[in-house]
Amino acid sequence: MAVKSAAKKNISLVKSLHNHFTQDDLLQQYETMMTLRRFQEKVGSLYQQGYMGGFCHLYIGQEAVVTGAKAASKEGDDFITTYRCHAHAAISGISMEEILGELMGRSTGISKGKGGSMHMFDPEKHFWGGHGIVGGNVPLATGMAFAAKYREEDRVTLCFFGDGAADSGAMFESFNMAALWKLPVLYIIENNHFSMGTAKERHAAGEFYKRGEPFGIPGQKVDGMDFFAVYEAVSEACEHIRAGKGPILLEMDTYRYKGHSMSDPAKYRKREDVDTIKKQRDPIQRLSQVLAEEYKVKEDVFKEVDKKAKQRVAEAVEVALDAPKADMAELYTDIIQENKEGE
Amino acid sequence: MAMIKQTYRDALRDGMSEEMRRDPEVFLMGEEVAEYQGAYKCSAGMLQEFGPKRVIDSPITELGFTGLGVGAAFMGMRPIIEYMSWSFALLSSDQIINSAAKTYYMSGGKVGCPIVFRGINGLGKMVAAQHSHDYTNMYANCPGLKVVCPVTPADAKGLIKAAVRDNAPVLVMENERLYGMEGEVPEGDDVLVEIGKAKVVKEGSDITLIGYSMSTLQCQKAAEMLMKEGVDAEVIDLRSIRPLDKQAIVKSVQKTNRAVVVEEGYSFAGIASEIMAVISEEAFDALDAPVARLSLKDIPIPYADHMEQASMVQAEDIVEKVLAICKV
């Protein structure tokens, strides 16, 4: 029932957001989400075919969070996230070729094959990783925001982490400092309902969006499966933060369709539960519904977008597969950042 | 070069202050660094000079404020993060090792981390086991970090300045018992001590004594006592553990043909075992006797003064060990 009323709210919301989104704009967002989905699906199948190893955490189901947040943030804002980072890297502008290259240990990988699935970075594109320790990126984001405030720069740090990390002391310590010093950071909990294999009800007491309350950090629970809801919440939050009013906490109620990582068959939940979410809340379906009903976009347009997404992914796979293995000459580079002459 | 006489803590303070005057991107954050003027008064007057924007009291949450410092360093700032003790900093070891040390490599050289972590390390005086531990070997074990252990006021100043200017994360291991010690410090804003260079603090020909931090002082004291026994010992102060000045160690051992390593910490998988491995690998043929080591006793450090003293390496222990070796 709650889901239904949320969907209804979105239809009314989109009317109020008409000024923001032309049909082309919205179709662009749809294409972004569809490309992320097809990309992650392809990564999953390539992993199963043995093209990559180690840990691999897919983002399928959560696409509206990163897409809505990107649309609502400004050029120059910084993104930082956890090990489930492929979509955040891609939406920041790192190419699928570079991401796939990294996943396959190729010389074209964004981290020269030295980071892998969990560690991708590109400061020029304001993307700061890609961090493997649960909760570890939250203090880092807080420090990035500290630097922005210190330098009096107009930039917001968007810090993404999961419901598992939301239990960590690192998060609470960060909240304390960010609130105390009014740092320009937006904390986004992507609550996909599982801390690895432990359901929210079994790992977390109380509500996530209230976890900033003791520090005076305003919190809000957002339908993270709805592009518009994410967009609206992140826009308002960023406005508050840019005004120098300190951090905001958003809990995105979302869902991951796959296991925690590729090695997780997700036996801790019923298949029907996942199917129900897919049927009722899928973020891509819901955006297409709005486009069809409100913007009268025809079915063949969606098909065309999907075709284009698959094609784009296929091209990236081809490029990645053609690239040589990561260069052994890089094995002993980038360990210590040397000072340049005269520094 | 003009010299001034000052304490280790003042030398540290002057080193940090000079770097903060030189570079507006340097800030000092830690427990009690601002209003209180430093838990050990190492930042006396800095709040007054630089203001609360750049000298910042942190909550007692080492994991959080260390991560904050690392995040700021990713953005190119040059934070100095002070710990009241490296024992407390264990809580921040995730951010030091997983974030500060490894991100440069994991990002293929895209994200650097020019940061300094500093505070007291090793044994203080009667503060019991949880405040008495040398963590030098733990951090020196990790690629991506630099670890320095200044023992003189001049080195404290020269190394803290070099650490701030270094593009890599540098850990400065200090000691409470050193803070009040005085020494000659060269004047001048650009007098740095190169990280990775050991120093021969006393030349000798019969045996090499190798120390770092407080253990260097014990080696020096032992060398004086040994003179009366007719043994001319050379003393090397490592100053930097990572990178390690292997060349200085090997060169000295090739001259003296004997060595004793004295460490601040426990022997198991410690600094001395590393130095002994270096000598074994690179100067084995020069040895006239097996290399020996003296370490902290293998126990959690007790509180009572006499028990604490008994757990530490004393100059007399070094003398005894050296005489046994030289008489072989």
Side-chain angles (χ1 to χ4, degrees):
Chain A
M1 280 299 121
V3 171
K4 218 172 177 182
S5 67
K8 206 172 170 187
K9 187 195 169 213
N10 300 327
I11 300 291
S12 63
L13 177 64
V14 71
K15 283 176 183 160
S16 72
L17 289 174
H18 266 175
N19 289 339
H20 287 274
F21 297 107
T22 62
Q23 180 175 315
D24 284 352
D25 281 346
L26 259 196
L27 268 173
Q28 184 57 53
Q29 302 300 337
Y30 179 81
E31 186 179 326
T32 299
M33 280 165 64
M34 187 54 103
T35 308
L36 290 176
R37 170 81 47 104
R38 296 301 181 217
F39 178 45
Q40 291 291 277
E41 287 170 349
K42 190 71 193 173
V43 167
S45 75
L46 288 167
Y47 186 96
Q48 278 162 339
Q49 290 168 56
Y51 284 101
M52 48 193 87
F55 299 124
C56 181
H57 312 84
L58 301 179
Y59 197 67
I60 301 170
Q62 300 179 215
E63 296 90 346
V65 177
V66 87
T67 310
K70 182 67 185 174
S73 62
K74 275 194 191 166
E75 183 82 33
D77 288 343
D78 299 283
F79 276 38
I80 180 168
T81 189
T82 66
Y83 42 83
R84 198 179 303 283
C85 70
H86 307 168
H88 304 73
I91 209 141
S92 298
I94 298 175
S95 71
M96 288 191 283
E97 285 83 351
E98 290 169 303
I99 296 170
L100 283 164
E102 190 59 34
L103 293 169
M104 295 182 194
R106 307 293 167 129
S107 64
T108 49
I110 186 69
S111 305
K112 305 179 191 168
K114 299 198 278 196
S117 174
M118 300 180 283
H119 308 298
M120 302 182 189
F121 306 78
D122 196 340
E124 282 178 18
K125 297 188 167 80
H126 296 266
F127 182 63
W128 301 87
H131 298 271
I133 308 299
V134 172
N137 67 315
V138 189
L140 296 173
T142 310
M144 289 161 58
F146 176 91
K149 181 166 183 177
Y150 185 101
R151 292 166 164 172
E152 297 172 19
E153 290 175 334
D154 176 30
R155 59 204 277 191
V156 175
T157 301
L158 285 83
C159 174
F160 298 84
F161 52 100
D163 46 307
D167 295 331
S168 73
M171 184 196 76
F172 288 103
E173 293 185 13
S174 299
F175 282 4
N176 182 45
M177 293 184 293
L180 192 62
W181 299 327
K182 287 200 171 5
L183 302 181
V185 53
L186 171 56
Y187 297 111
I188 297 177
I189 300 175
E190 298 196 51
N191 175 10
N192 63 22
H193 293 264
F194 291 93
S195 170
M196 207 172 146
T198 306
K200 191 263 159 194
E201 296 69 32
R202 296 195 297 118
H203 78 77
E207 297 283 348
F208 292 118
Y209 72 94
K210 291 183 181 170
R211 289 194 167 180
E213 264 181 20
F215 307 96
I217 300 177
Q220 188 191 336
K221 189 166 181 169
V222 180
D223 183 350
M225 303 292 267
D226 176 12
F227 169 80
F228 298 105
V230 174
Y231 177 85
E232 185 189 42
V234 173
S235 300
E236 285 175 3
C238 286
E239 200 176 315
H240 170 103
I241 294 164
R242 273 183 225 289
K245 295 176 184 169
I248 293 272
L249 169 61
L250 297 177
E251 174 191 349
M252 300 293 176
D253 182 356
T254 183
Y255 205 79
R256 72 167 145 74
Y257 295 173
K258 299 287 180 183
H260 167 74
S261 68
M262 289 304 293
S263 59
D264 169 21
K267 285 183 175 161
Y268 42 80
R269 64 183 180 191
K270 295 195 197 86
R271 179 176 277 274
E272 302 89 78
D273 294 347
V274 184
D275 290 343
T276 305
I277 300 270
K278 282 184 184 172
K279 204 182 285 175
Q280 294 182 347
R281 298 186 65 204
D282 183 76
I284 298 177
Q285 279 297 320
R286 283 165 76 185
L287 185 55
S288 71
Q289 198 185 328
V290 171
L291 279 163
E293 289 173 13
E294 296 282 310
Y295 292 81
K296 311 295 174 204
V297 173
K298 296 277 185 298
E299 186 59 29
D300 56 340
V301 175
F302 298 124
K303 281 188 179 151
E304 192 54 38
V305 169
D306 192 11
K307 198 176 144 193
K308 203 171 140 195
K310 282 180 181 159
Q311 200 180 331
R312 181 70 195 83
V313 171
E315 285 164 10
V317 171
E318 211 165 302
V319 170
L321 284 171
D322 277 348
K325 279 184 177 179
D327 188 354
M328 280 298 284
E330 296 288 352
L331 191 62
Y332 288 103
T333 64
D334 309 323
I335 300 163
I336 287 284
Q337 186 175 17
E338 303 291 347
N339 282 38
K340 294 188 194 88
E341 204 66 33
E343 257 185 335
Chain B
M1 193 178 290
M3 306 290 271
I4 53 164
K5 197 171 188 185
Q6 66 180 164
T7 61
Y8 189 102
R9 65 158 60 80
D10 288 347
L12 268 177
R13 188 263 324 272
D14 287 357
M16 290 191 286
S17 297
E18 284 171 14
E19 292 311 298
M20 284 180 69
R21 281 175 214 130
R22 179 178 175 268
D23 183 352
E25 295 272 280
V26 181
F27 66 89
L28 172 66
M29 178 179 281
E31 291 141 350
E32 311 296 348
V33 297
E35 295 279 348
Y36 199 87
Q37 308 284 297
Y40 296 96
K41 306 289 179 241
C42 290
S43 51
M46 290 179 70
L47 172 67
Q48 286 69 19
E49 179 175 354
F50 299 104
K53 186 184 172 184
R54 300 184 68 195
V55 181
I56 307 141
D57 281 324
S58 71
I60 308 178
T61 53
E62 288 83 5
L63 174 61
F65 73 76
T66 300
L68 184 150
V70 174
F74 283 176
M75 304 287 271
M77 296 200 69
R78 292 184 175 267
I80 304 172
I81 300 295
E82 176 177 320
Y83 303 112
M84 230 159 104
S85 161
W86 275 101
S87 290
F88 305 170
L90 273 184
L91 290 159
S92 65
S93 56
D94 168 50
Q95 290 294 352
I96 297 174
I97 294 172
N98 278 314
S99 300
K102 296 181 179 176
T103 302
Y104 190 58
Y105 191 83
M106 295 195 306
S107 67
K110 286 194 173 64
V111 180
C113 190
I115 191 169
V116 177
F117 306 106
R118 49 161 291 266
I120 62 165
N121 177 58
L123 271 60
K125 186 140 181 72
M126 297 179 72
V127 289
Q130 290 185 338
H131 291 69
S132 307
H133 200 126
D134 173 20
Y135 293 99
T136 312
N137 59 330
M138 176 177 130
Y139 291 106
N141 187 247
C142 185
L145 296 179
K146 293 185 178 181
V147 184
V148 299
C149 307
V151 68
T152 65
D155 284 348
K157 186 176 176 187
L159 282 170
I160 191 80
K161 286 167 70 73
V164 172
R165 294 189 199 186
D166 203 290
N167 284 342
V170 182
L171 285 68
V172 184
M173 317 306 270
E174 301 157 13
N175 191 295
E176 188 189 347
R177 290 175 292 161
L178 290 171
Y179 283 154
M181 289 189 187
E182 286 192 328
E184 296 286 324
V185 179
E187 281 188 297
D189 282 0
D190 287 312
V191 184
L192 307 191
V193 171
E194 190 183 342
I195 294 172
K197 288 278 180 254
K199 185 177 169 188
V200 177
V201 292
K202 179 191 170 298
E203 290 198 27
S205 53
D206 297 334
I207 189 164
T208 303
L209 304 180
I210 302 164
Y212 63 94
S213 192
M214 293 298 295
S215 68
T216 296
L217 299 181
Q218 298 292 16
C219 289
Q220 284 176 282
K221 197 174 161 191
E224 277 173 35
M225 292 157 74
L226 283 164
M227 288 300 273
K228 291 172 198 147
E229 304 283 342
V231 177
D232 184 14
E234 179 146 302
V235 179
I236 292 183
D237 176 19
L238 292 173
R239 299 200 288 190
S240 167
I241 301 298
R242 188 183 188 110
L244 183 68
D245 192 348
K246 291 184 187 182
Q247 211 186 347
I249 298 166
V250 170
K251 194 177 155 200
S252 178
V253 172
Q254 279 170 343
K255 180 172 77 172
T256 65
N257 312 113
R258 295 176 182 84
V260 174
V261 191
V262 185
E263 66 188 332
E264 283 284 286
Y266 299 118
S267 61
F268 192 89
I271 300 295
S273 44
E274 178 62 28
I275 308 295
M276 291 163 93
V278 166
I279 297 171
S280 177
E281 284 164 353
E282 303 191 17
F284 185 77
D285 291 340
L287 290 175
D288 284 346
V291 183
R293 64 177 149 174
L294 288 160
S295 317
L296 204 54
K297 299 290 184 296
D298 206 20
I299 49 172
I301 302 309
Y303 160 75
D305 195 16
H306 64 290
M307 293 172 84
E308 184 182 54
Q309 288 296 323
S311 62
M312 297 158 68
V313 179
Q314 306 293 344
E316 290 76 12
D317 302 327
I318 304 172
V319 170
E320 193 183 330
K321 183 69 86 179
V322 169
L323 291 178
I325 292 168
C326 290
K327 278 173 189 164
V328 167

